[in-house]
Coordinates of all heavy atoms in Angstrom, one line a residue:
L1 N 0.9 -1.2 0.0 CA 0.0 0.0 0.0 C 0.9 1.2 0.0 O 1.9 1.3 0.6 CB -0.9 0.0 1.2 CG -2.2 -0.9 1.1 CD1 -1.9 -2.3 1.1 CD2 -3.1 -0.5 2.4
S2 N 0.4 2.3 -0.7 CA 1.1 3.6 -0.8 C 0.2 4.7 -1.1 O -0.9 4.5 -1.6 CB 2.3 3.5 -1.7 OG 1.9 3.4 -3.0
S3 N 0.7 6.0 -1.0 CA 0.1 7.2 -1.5 C -1.4 7.4 -1.2 O -2.1 7.7 -2.0 CB 0.3 7.2 -3.0 OG 1.6 6.9 -3.4
P4 N -1.7 7.3 0.2 CA -3.1 7.6 0.6 C -3.3 9.1 0.4 O -2.6 9.9 0.6 CB -3.1 7.1 2.0 CG -1.8 7.3 2.5 CD -0.9 7.0 1.4
A5 N -4.6 9.4 -0.1 CA -5.1 10.8 -0.2 C -6.5 10.8 0.1 O -7.4 10.1 -0.4 CB -4.9 11.3 -1.7
V6 N -6.8 11.7 1.2 CA -8.2 11.7 1.7 C -8.9 12.9 0.9 O -8.4 13.8 0.5 CB -8.2 12.1 3.2 CG1 -7.5 13.5 3.4 CG2 -9.6 12.1 3.8
S7 N -10.2 12.5 0.6 CA -11.1 13.3 -0.2 C -11.4 14.7 0.5 O -11.2 14.8 1.7 CB -12.5 12.6 -0.4 OG -13.2 12.4 0.8
P8 N -11.7 15.8 -0.2 CA -11.9 17.0 0.5 C -13.0 17.1 1.6 O -12.8 17.9 2.5 CB -12.4 17.9 -0.8 CG -11.8 17.2 -2.0 CD -11.8 15.8 -1.7
D9 N -14.0 16.2 1.6 CA -14.9 16.1 2.6 C -14.6 15.2 3.7 O -15.2 15.0 4.7 CB -16.4 15.7 2.1 CG -16.4 14.3 1.4 OD1 -15.3 13.5 1.6 OD2 -17.4 13.9 0.9
G10 N -13.4 14.5 3.6 CA -12.9 13.6 4.6 C -13.6 12.3 4.8 O -13.2 11.6 5.7
K11 N -14.4 12.0 3.8 CA -15.2 10.8 4.0 C -14.5 9.6 3.2 O -14.9 8.4 3.6 CB -16.6 11.0 3.4 CG -17.3 12.0 4.2 CD -18.7 12.2 3.7 CE -19.5 13.1 4.5 NZ -21.0 13.3 4.0
T12 N -13.6 9.7 2.3 CA -13.1 8.7 1.5 C -11.6 8.9 1.3 O -11.1 9.9 1.2 CB -13.8 8.7 0.1 OG1 -15.2 8.7 0.3 CG2 -13.5 7.4 -0.6
V13 N -10.9 7.7 1.3 CA -9.5 7.7 1.0 C -9.2 6.9 -0.3 O -9.7 5.8 -0.4 CB -8.6 7.1 2.2 CG1 -7.1 7.2 1.8 CG2 -9.0 7.7 3.5
V14 N -8.4 7.5 -1.2 CA -7.8 6.7 -2.3 C -6.4 6.4 -2.0 O -5.7 7.1 -1.4 CB -8.0 7.6 -3.6 CG1 -7.1 8.8 -3.5 CG2 -7.6 6.6 -4.8
F15 N -6.0 5.2 -2.4 CA -4.6 4.7 -2.1 C -4.2 3.8 -3.2 O -5.1 3.2 -4.0 CB -4.5 4.1 -0.7 CG -5.5 2.9 -0.5 CD1 -4.9 1.6 -0.5 CD2 -6.7 3.1 -0.1 CE1 -5.7 0.5 -0.3 CE2 -7.5 2.0 0.2 CZ -7.1 0.7 0.0
T16 N -2.9 3.4 -3.3 CA -2.4 2.6 -4.3 C -2.1 1.2 -3.8 O -1.5 1.2 -2.6 CB -1.1 3.2 -5.0 OG1 -1.5 4.5 -5.6 CG2 -0.5 2.4 -6.1
V17 N -2.3 0.2 -4.4 CA -2.0 -1.1 -4.1 C -1.2 -1.7 -5.2 O -1.6 -1.9 -6.3 CB -3.3 -2.0 -3.8 CG1 -2.8 -3.5 -3.6 CG2 -4.0 -1.5 -2.6
Q18 N 0.1 -2.0 -4.9 CA 1.0 -2.6 -5.8 C 1.1 -4.1 -5.6 O 1.2 -4.6 -4.4 CB 2.4 -2.0 -5.7 CG 3.4 -2.5 -6.6 CD 4.8 -2.0 -6.4 OE1 5.3 -2.2 -5.2 NE2 5.5 -1.4 -7.2
E19 N 1.1 -4.9 -6.7 CA 1.2 -6.4 -6.6 C 2.3 -6.8 -7.6 O 2.5 -6.2 -8.7 CB -0.2 -7.0 -7.0 CG -1.3 -6.7 -6.1 CD -2.7 -7.4 -6.5 OE1 -2.6 -8.7 -6.5 OE2 -3.5 -6.7 -6.9
W20 N 3.1 -7.7 -7.1 CA 4.3 -8.2 -7.9 C 4.1 -9.6 -8.4 O 3.4 -10.4 -7.8 CB 5.5 -8.2 -7.0 CG 6.2 -6.8 -6.9 CD1 5.9 -5.9 -5.9 CD2 7.1 -6.3 -7.8 NE1 6.7 -4.8 -6.2 CE2 7.5 -5.0 -7.3 CE3 7.8 -6.7 -8.9 CZ2 8.4 -4.1 -7.8 CZ3 8.8 -5.9 -9.5 CH2 9.0 -4.6 -8.9
S21 N 4.6 -9.8 -9.7 CA 4.6 -11.2 -10.2 C 6.1 -11.7 -10.2 O 6.9 -11.1 -10.9 CB 4.1 -11.1 -11.6 OG 4.3 -12.3 -12.3
I22 N 6.2 -12.8 -9.5 CA 7.6 -13.3 -9.5 C 7.9 -13.9 -10.9 O 9.0 -13.8 -11.4 CB 7.8 -14.4 -8.5 CG1 7.6 -13.9 -7.0 CG2 9.0 -15.2 -8.5 CD1 7.4 -14.9 -5.9
E23 N 6.9 -14.6 -11.5 CA 7.0 -15.1 -12.8 C 7.4 -14.1 -13.9 O 8.3 -14.4 -14.7 CB 5.8 -15.9 -13.1 CG 5.8 -16.5 -14.6 CD 4.4 -17.1 -15.0 OE1 3.5 -17.0 -14.3 OE2 4.3 -17.7 -16.1
K24 N 6.7 -13.0 -13.9 CA 7.0 -12.0 -14.8 C 8.1 -11.0 -14.5 O 8.6 -10.2 -15.3 CB 5.8 -11.2 -15.2 CG 4.6 -12.0 -15.7 CD 3.3 -11.2 -15.9 CE 2.1 -12.0 -16.6 NZ 0.9 -11.3 -16.8
N25 N 8.5 -11.1 -13.2 CA 9.5 -10.2 -12.7 C 9.2 -8.7 -12.8 O 10.0 -7.8 -13.1 CB 10.8 -10.5 -13.4 CG 12.0 -10.5 -12.5 OD1 11.9 -10.8 -11.4 ND2 13.3 -10.2 -13.0
K26 N 7.9 -8.4 -12.6 CA 7.4 -7.0 -12.7 C 6.2 -6.8 -11.9 O 5.5 -7.8 -11.4 CB 7.0 -6.7 -14.3 CG 6.0 -7.5 -14.8 CD 5.8 -7.2 -16.3 CE 5.3 -5.7 -16.5 NZ 4.9 -5.6 -18.0
S27 N 5.8 -5.5 -11.7 CA 4.7 -5.2 -10.9 C 3.5 -4.5 -11.6 O 3.7 -4.0 -12.7 CB 5.0 -4.3 -9.7 OG 5.5 -3.1 -10.2
T28 N 2.4 -4.6 -11.0 CA 1.2 -3.7 -11.5 C 0.7 -3.0 -10.2 O 0.9 -3.4 -9.2 CB 0.1 -4.5 -12.1 OG1 -0.3 -5.5 -11.2 CG2 0.6 -5.2 -13.4
S29 N 0.0 -1.8 -10.5 CA -0.5 -1.2 -9.3 C -1.9 -0.5 -9.7 O -2.1 -0.1 -10.9 CB 0.4 -0.1 -8.8 OG 0.8 0.9 -9.8
N30 N -2.9 -0.5 -8.7 CA -4.1 0.0 -9.1 C -4.6 0.8 -7.9 O -4.0 0.8 -6.8 CB -5.2 -1.1 -9.3 CG -5.0 -2.0 -10.6 OD1 -4.4 -3.0 -10.5 ND2 -5.3 -1.2 -11.6
L31 N -5.6 1.6 -8.1 CA -6.2 2.5 -7.2 C -7.3 1.9 -6.4 O -8.2 1.1 -7.0 CB -6.7 3.9 -7.8 CG -5.7 4.7 -8.6 CD1 -6.3 5.9 -9.0 CD2 -4.5 5.0 -7.7
W32 N -7.4 2.1 -5.1 CA -8.5 1.5 -4.3 C -9.1 2.7 -3.5 O -8.4 3.7 -3.3 CB -7.9 0.4 -3.3 CG -7.5 -0.8 -3.9 CD1 -6.6 -1.0 -4.9 CD2 -8.1 -2.2 -3.5 NE1 -6.5 -2.4 -5.3 CE2 -7.4 -3.0 -4.4 CE3 -9.0 -2.6 -2.7 CZ2 -7.7 -4.4 -4.5 CZ3 -9.2 -3.9 -2.6 CH2 -8.6 -4.8 -3.5
L33 N -10.3 2.5 -3.1 CA -11.1 3.4 -2.2 C -11.4 2.8 -0.9 O -11.8 1.6 -0.9 CB -12.3 4.0 -2.9 CG -12.1 4.8 -4.2 CD1 -13.4 5.1 -4.8 CD2 -11.3 6.1 -3.8
V34 N -11.6 3.5 0.2 CA -12.1 3.0 1.4 C -12.7 4.2 2.2 O -12.2 5.3 2.1 CB -11.1 2.4 2.3 CG1 -10.0 3.3 2.9 CG2 -11.8 1.6 3.4

């Protein structure tokens, strides 16, 4: 997890989730909300 940012109204957080592939030797990352 990285880079959390809280919404202007303080009700929601967006953050990045990075996942690694050992097989491909590389990563992907997507945005999540909570």
Side-chain angles (χ1 to χ4, degrees):
L1 281 63
S2 65
S3 307
V6 63
S7 61
D9 63 7
K11 295 181 179 180
T12 310
V13 186
V14 62
F15 58 100
T16 299
V17 176
Q18 182 189 53
E19 300 181 64
W20 280 90
S21 167
I22 296 173
E23 179 186 2
K24 297 178 181 179
N25 223 27
K26 64 184 294 186
S27 69
T28 57
S29 55
N30 292 107
L31 303 182
W32 288 60
L33 296 172
V34 66

